[in-house]
Amino acid sequence: MKFKKSLLVGLLLSFSLVLFACSNEGSTSGGDNGDGENIELDFWVFGATNYESLAKKYEEENPNVTIKIRKSELGDHHNSLFTAISSGTGAPDLTMIEVDQLDRFREAQERFTNLYDLGAGDIQDKYLDWKWKVAEDESGDFLFGLPTDIGPKAMYYHTGVFENAGLPTDPAEVKEQISSPEAFKEAAATVKESTGKPMVDSMEMAFRANMDALEVSYFNREGELLIENPDNKVKDAYDFAVQLNEQGYVGSYEMWTPEWATALNKGEFAVEMAPAWLKGYMTENAPEAEGEWRVTTLPDQFAGNWGGSYISIPKETEHAEEVYAFAKWLVNPENQLQSFVESGLFPSTPATYEMEEFTQNSDEYFGGQNTAEVFAEAAQEVTATYKGPNYVTVNNEILTALQNVSEGANPEEEWNAAVTRIKDIMKR
């Protein structure tokens, strides 16, 4: 009897253990990998985003996932990432990469996860085609990152300056009248003659009018410097800025300076050609101008993108599937709407443009105008561009030349000097 009783107890205990094990196997939570493992993901970000609050929401929905966010300034962020990627140690599980910096990391493609291998092709149709293509390699077989925000450019204009110049102030009428580069120059002449004020704030903005619209600028995908090629359009963009400056249509207000903020406040120039993210800066730094500015689309020849980022996954991560699941969720159309509402990050997902909170958007600073619709229209006109790993360094040399021209230097001499410096840089 004792033997039978012991055997019965043993069988019951074994059965209980099996039930317990089965119960645990079936009770996976959130986004875990099925074995109940707690996962900690390092996420490097820069700039003003709402990714901290979205990460908390994701953690609530996926209790086994913890997301540690490290925020840095744009330059420090990319330098730290480049160092980590180059050394093969210390990289985060996922990271933001700004569009102008993206090509800098293409040479280290093997240090990143190909998002196509994780199924990114299944969601490609949710994003603007040009934004998606920028993150592909030349063959189209490797995807560096998922699209986050974009920076479609539009024309901010000061209604008081336009009214004093006898120009229309309704956005639709302004769009119709200033529909080409020639019409833009005619409006600039009218503003200068009637008000004495410049059309644009600086040489950089006059240069970017054409520069941001170029599909190819300083480099091709083989890394060849194109700036001296006869058909290269960078010199045309430079000459356009020089021409506007010689006519007195360009101001001397360097972006982000206190003087520039004051000029925005006072309406000291007529037009700013900039992306959607400028709205947040204007609201905070030019409060006296509330109700004075409006937004309309730029001439088609000026249609371009300035800014925006991607979410990339370094090869070092030990949790590629879990990281991708979070990244895909973070930049889906619903969350891009949330990022737009909370942080002004303009969506790269066209479905967001149809959502009620987007279509009913009203900017009191801009006289109650729905500026979101303007930037959504502008986003459809952008084309994919290739910039190259040395884009920022090379572009800064041209901006230096333009600054010198604004201070009285000879335009051709400054151009030639900049090209010489660029060629020297490329030899290093």
Side-chain angles (χ1 to χ4, degrees), residues 34-240:
D35 60 6
E37 177 188 1
N38 290 321
I39 298 169
E40 185 175 277
L41 305 179
D42 289 321
F43 183 19
W44 288 6
V45 307
F46 64 87
T49 72
N50 69 330
Y51 292 163
E52 291 91 343
S53 62
L54 284 175
K56 286 187 174 70
K57 181 181 178 182
Y58 190 82
E59 289 173 341
E60 292 171 1
E61 297 175 0
N62 300 270
N64 68 302
V65 178
T66 301
I67 301 164
K68 293 177 59 180
I69 293 182
R70 191 187 87 165
K71 183 177 179 179
S72 308
E73 294 299 319
L74 186 145
D76 293 338
H77 168 90
H78 289 94
N79 288 336
S80 296
L81 180 63
F82 190 81
T83 298
I85 291 295
S86 300
S87 65
T89 182
D93 294 285
L94 72 165
T95 181
M96 289 176 67
I97 298 181
E98 199 267 343
V99 62
D100 284 353
Q101 299 280 342
L102 186 63
D103 291 331
R104 177 184 180 188
F105 293 91
R106 289 186 190 274
E107 297 173 345
Q109 177 174 307
E110 72 281 357
R111 303 291 177 87
F112 288 89
T113 300
N114 183 359
L115 301 190
Y116 279 138
D117 291 342
L118 298 175
D122 295 339
I123 60 172
Q124 181 174 355
D125 61 355
K126 296 181 182 294
Y127 300 88
L128 289 164
D129 185 58
W130 64 263
K131 174 71 172 179
W132 187 275
K133 287 186 179 303
V134 169
E136 290 183 328
D137 67 352
E138 187 175 1
S139 68
D141 296 328
F142 190 101
L143 187 69
F144 282 89
L146 294 181
T148 61
D149 61 311
I150 55 175
K153 292 175 61 179
M155 186 168 71
Y156 296 75
Y157 62 95
H158 194 279
T159 56
V161 176
F162 268 41
E163 185 175 8
N164 290 336
L167 294 171
T169 59
D170 177 75
E173 294 177 5
V174 173
K175 175 184 177 180
E176 183 177 356
Q177 179 158 335
I178 306 179
S179 59
S180 68
E182 293 72 25
F184 184 88
K185 286 191 283 188
E186 291 173 6
T190 300
V191 168
K192 181 67 177 178
E193 292 167 6
S194 302
T195 69
K197 295 180 179 181
M199 184 71 163
V200 297
D201 57 343
S202 67
M203 289 289 275
E204 179 179 358
M205 294 302 104
F207 173 62
R208 296 194 75 131
N210 289 287
M211 189 65 185
D212 289 331
L214 298 182
E215 293 185 40
V216 178
S217 53
Y218 298 114
F219 303 95
N220 59 22
R221 286 188 177 273
E222 287 70 46
E224 297 173 317
L225 183 65
L226 306 176
I227 195 169
E228 291 187 293
N229 287 13
D231 60 347
N232 186 260
K233 301 298 183 183
V234 174
K235 183 60 161 56
D236 292 342
Y238 179 92
D239 288 342
F240 181 81

Side-chain angles (χ1 to χ4, degrees), residues 7 34 45 115 138 152 155 166 177 238 243 257 283 312 323 365 389:
L7 180 60
V45 307
L115 301 190
E138 187 175 1
M155 186 168 71
Q177 179 158 335
Y238 179 92
Q243 291 166 11
T257 62
T283 302
S312 296
V323 174
Y365 184 90

Side-chain angles (χ1 to χ4, degrees), residues 153-156 184 199-213 237-238 240-242 244-245 249-256 260 264 269 271-275 277-278 298 302 306 395 398-399 402-403 406:
K153 292 175 61 179
M155 186 168 71
Y156 296 75
F184 184 88
M199 184 71 163
V200 297
D201 57 343
S202 67
M203 289 289 275
E204 179 179 358
M205 294 302 104
F207 173 62
R208 296 194 75 131
N210 289 287
M211 189 65 185
D212 289 331
Y238 179 92
F240 181 81
V242 169
L244 291 186
N245 184 63
Y249 305 156
V250 180
S252 56
Y253 304 107
E254 184 180 349
M255 206 171 193
W256 312 127
W260 178 71
L264 283 171
F269 58 90
V271 162
E272 185 67 88
M273 294 176 279
W277 47 253
L278 183 65
L298 286 161
F302 293 166
W306 179 4
N395 192 61
I398 300 298
L399 295 183
L402 287 169
Q403 179 61 35
S406 72

Side-chain angles (χ1 to χ4, degrees), residues 293-353:
W293 291 86
R294 298 290 187 277
V295 182
T296 193
T297 53
L298 286 161
D300 290 344
Q301 296 90 331
F302 293 166
N305 183 75
W306 179 4
S309 300
Y310 293 86
I311 303 295
S312 296
I313 303 177
K315 200 78 169 181
E316 272 186 61
T317 183
E318 297 178 356
H319 305 289
E321 294 285 349
E322 291 82 2
V323 174
Y324 176 72
F326 168 62
K328 182 174 70 171
W329 176 88
L330 182 71
V331 296
N332 68 31
E334 292 75 21
N335 283 331
Q336 288 217 18
L337 174 65
Q338 202 63 27
S339 294
F340 169 71
V341 171
E342 294 181 5
S343 299
L345 301 181
F346 201 82
S348 58
T349 44
T352 306
Y353 307 158

